[in-house]
Amino acid sequence: MGNSILEWVGRAPLLAGLPLVSACVASENGQIPPSALIGSAFEGGARARVIADGKTVEFSMVAIGDLDIPSGRMVVCDPFACEPGNPFTRRVPTGRFPVQLAVTRTPSGEQRVAYARILFSDRPAVRWEMALPPGESLDGSQTDYAFGFPVETGTGSFMDAAVQGPYLTAAADRNTKQQLIAALNERQASGVAWLVRPSGPGSIAMFETGFGDGYYISYFGFDDAGQVVSLTADLGVIERPRS
């Protein structure tokens, strides 16, 4: 990762009212399909080509800690440019669950976080569904739109909606924000940047995003019984299937 989190935060305005809907590539059955390795990349040993330059990369999985989820209403956003509200419509199990990163490494040693996920079950996902904000559906009526989250500071995060308010209040304090940035950059020195911290009634998990700033889509993974087993942010490193 070329820039520190501090450099990104320093140049990025706090965003007010960014739309959750952003024009994107053509979809299938009302949703943009995830990139091909969204599930298998966490197993390690997988190989793929990166979108930006076609380099062949290998994956490793980094377990960054457990996330406390008190209400099951999830928010995925840039933690330093995040507005209140807009949790996903679909609820997830409550409790404490592991957060994992699927990290690519090129032969030269360059690393990128390709996917970040919360794992609710060890059962494999056999179907993926785009995570949607309130009022949206996968009925095919908006086939050229993706629903995701904008990143302006090279950082994404998972948090429960009940955590978002207390976190945003705390992060509005300059000293608190600087402490979070410093902790992220300290992690970055040894590879990829990530941080799990308690906040309010739960916790927040932060992670660096793909090639930095961008617009990223999250997906719910379902097992063969139709139960949610994961929530994964696809961070735009690996190419999606072509229609």
Side-chain angles (χ1 to χ4, degrees):
M1 191 165 149
N3 299 75
S4 72
I5 302 298
L6 178 60
E7 289 172 324
W8 261 302
V9 173
R11 74 166 189 251
L14 289 180
L15 307 179
L18 264 175
L20 283 174
V21 182
S22 173
C24 196
V25 297
S27 66
E28 298 177 2
N29 299 320
Q31 72 170 350
I32 307 298
S35 48
L37 299 180
I38 190 169
S40 60
F42 293 90
E43 298 171 7
R47 296 171 64 88
R49 291 186 180 276
V50 174
I51 290 176
D53 52 22
K55 291 180 181 177
T56 298
V57 295
E58 292 187 350
F59 285 89
S60 61
M61 189 274 282
V62 178
I64 67 173
D66 293 337
L67 187 69
D68 291 308
I69 300 176
S71 78
R73 300 168 61 242
M74 294 305 302
V75 175
V76 184
C77 68
D78 182 327
F80 301 108
C82 187
E83 290 294 313
N86 291 312
F88 297 132
T89 304
R90 185 176 295 280
R91 289 178 178 261
V92 302
T94 58
R96 175 173 289 187
F97 301 97
V99 179
Q100 302 170 339
L101 308 179
V103 179
T104 65
R105 181 188 292 272
T106 65
S108 64
E110 181 183 21
Q111 296 184 79
R112 300 283 178 182
V113 180
Y115 308 97
R117 77 175 177 184
I118 311 168
L119 195 62
F120 303 112
S121 169
D122 291 332
R123 292 178 60 83
V126 299
R127 180 174 68 85
W128 300 95
E129 180 182 285
M130 191 186 300
L132 299 178
E136 304 296 346
S137 65
L138 296 176
D139 60 5
S141 62
Q142 298 195 51
T143 56
D144 58 348
Y145 280 79
F147 302 93
F149 64 103
V151 167
E152 293 289 328
T153 71
T155 315
S157 67
F158 294 128
M159 69 183 90
D160 189 282
V163 172
Q164 189 183 35
Y167 165 74
L168 291 178
T169 298
D173 176 76
R174 180 177 177 83
N175 289 334
T176 299
K177 181 177 289 186
Q178 292 300 319
Q179 290 170 7
L180 292 171
I181 293 167
L184 278 165
N185 285 332
E186 184 178 348
R187 291 285 187 186
Q188 184 187 28
S190 61
V192 297
W194 56 266
L195 186 66
V196 179
R197 285 286 175 88
S199 183
S203 54
I204 177 172
M206 305 180 192
F207 45 86
E208 69 177 72
T209 51
F211 293 100
D213 298 352
Y215 191 88
Y216 301 111
I217 305 173
S218 299
Y219 295 88
F220 290 109
F222 297 85
D223 65 14
D224 55 11
Q227 299 299 308
V228 175
V229 296
S230 62
L231 172 60
T232 304
D234 185 337
L235 301 175
V237 173
I238 304 304
E239 188 171 11
R240 291 188 173 87
R242 296 182 181 274
S243 57

